[in-house]
Amino acid sequence: MRIVLVGPPGAGKGTQAVRLAKELVIPHISTGDLFRANISQQTELGKLAKSYMDRGELVPDSVTIDMAKDRMEQADAENGFLLDGFPRNVDQAKALDELLTTEGIKLDAVLDLEVPEDEVVKRIAGRRICRNDSSHVFHVTYSPPKKEGVCDVCGGELYQRGDDREETVRTRLEVYHTQTEPIIDYYKAQGLVVTISSLGPVDEITQRALGALKREKAEQ
Ligand code: AP5
């Protein structure tokens, strides 16, 4: 399947993407994780991305689209992928459509995770991620690691993301409403949007998502 995951910061996209990708046997492609990997490797792209991410703004399309395309063209994504954090504005959605058309393939669904803003703020405030791999995500209250400050998956150090500060979170939410939400209407016009609530236990949401994706696929 080829799926786009959309939802506000802290909705649980990364948390669900890891589980859904495993269940559906497709790679999880997160532009946020790709940027964070570039930042920790101190590449030129990482240095550029950091200046935008620290302010809670979108990294320019000129570099983001090429990075996402490069990743989607790798062999493991040949038969499907789960995009997390891309596309993030209508121009990126159009660029993705162009790429898919060139390759003669289509998206199967756009999974929209709905969660109230006060819950998003609580989730982001308590989030801790692993220095070795930013897809290893924990929460100090909702999903604490077995040992405080240590990643259960790989033993790496857990830290709070630089863009999870309250001020930056406000900008990220505003950017989501003004630039990312319009892609939901863009994809509704293509009949691809499946909306589910992202409230409740993580495993329940995974089952909800899998059920909704299965129904969407059956209707096509
Ligand atoms: P990105 O890394 O994509 O961040 P985001 O979209 O803001 O989303 P988050 O990672 O904050 O949240 P999430 O929905 O993945 O939630 P999570 O699962 O961690 O992007 C970061 C930045 O990179 C952007 O601001 C931008 O600058 C740049 N960027 C990335 N892509 C770009 C693009 N395409 N174009 C331009 N710029 C781009 O969950 C949050 C917390 O809640 C965790 O602690 C988790 O444990 C907990 N949690 C999860 N589910 C539950 C649950 N059901 N109940 C209780 N707690 C839960």
Side-chain angles (χ1 to χ4, degrees), residues 14-190:
T15 303
Q16 292 304 325
V18 170
R19 287 162 176 79
L20 293 171
K22 199 172 163 199
E23 284 289 330
L24 300 168
V25 202
I26 48 177
H28 165 208
I29 299 179
S30 156
T31 41
D33 287 346
L34 290 172
F35 284 134
R36 280 183 287 277
N38 273 279
I39 291 171
S40 63
Q41 288 154 19
Q42 299 184 341
T43 65
E44 285 307 312
L45 174 61
K47 284 178 205 157
L48 174 82
K50 188 174 185 313
S51 62
Y52 290 90
M53 290 168 81
D54 283 349
R55 294 196 298 269
E57 294 168 10
L58 295 189
V59 180
D61 289 350
S62 53
V63 293
T64 304
I65 292 169
D66 285 346
M67 179 184 75
K69 273 186 182 171
D70 282 349
R71 180 62 189 88
M72 277 183 273
E73 281 167 358
Q74 286 174 24
D76 65 339
E78 204 175 316
N79 295 316
F81 48 69
L82 178 58
L83 295 179
D84 163 10
F86 183 86
R88 226 179 176 95
N89 60 32
V90 171
D91 284 341
Q92 292 183 10
K94 287 180 178 164
L96 175 62
D97 272 353
E98 270 173 35
L99 175 73
L100 297 176
T101 306
T102 309
E103 311 242 327
I105 49 180
K106 284 184 173 170
L107 287 177
D108 292 292
V110 173
L111 184 65
D112 167 30
L113 298 185
E114 253 187 1
V115 59
E117 207 137 302
D118 56 344
E119 175 67 13
V120 155
V121 173
K122 280 189 226 159
R123 288 187 185 181
I124 292 180
R127 170 168 47 196
R128 298 293 180 272
I129 65 165
C130 176
R131 265 205 206 281
N132 295 341
D133 184 334
S134 65
S135 71
H136 301 164
V137 180
F138 299 85
H139 189 284
V140 290
T141 318
Y142 301 141
S143 57
K146 290 191 187 86
K147 192 173 169 203
E148 198 186 322
V150 180
C151 176
D152 286 355
V153 185
C154 70
E157 182 202 351
L158 298 182
Y159 76 105
Q160 185 164 31
R161 266 169 51 176
D163 61 346
D164 278 353
R165 284 185 303 266
E166 202 185 321
E167 248 177 58
T168 319
V169 170
R170 268 201 296 271
T171 309
R172 284 165 58 202
L173 282 167
E174 201 182 305
V175 167
Y176 177 74
H177 292 310
T178 55
Q179 300 192 49
T180 307
E181 263 180 351
I183 73 168
I184 299 177
D185 281 338
Y186 176 86
Y187 284 124
K188 271 187 182 162
Q190 299 183 22

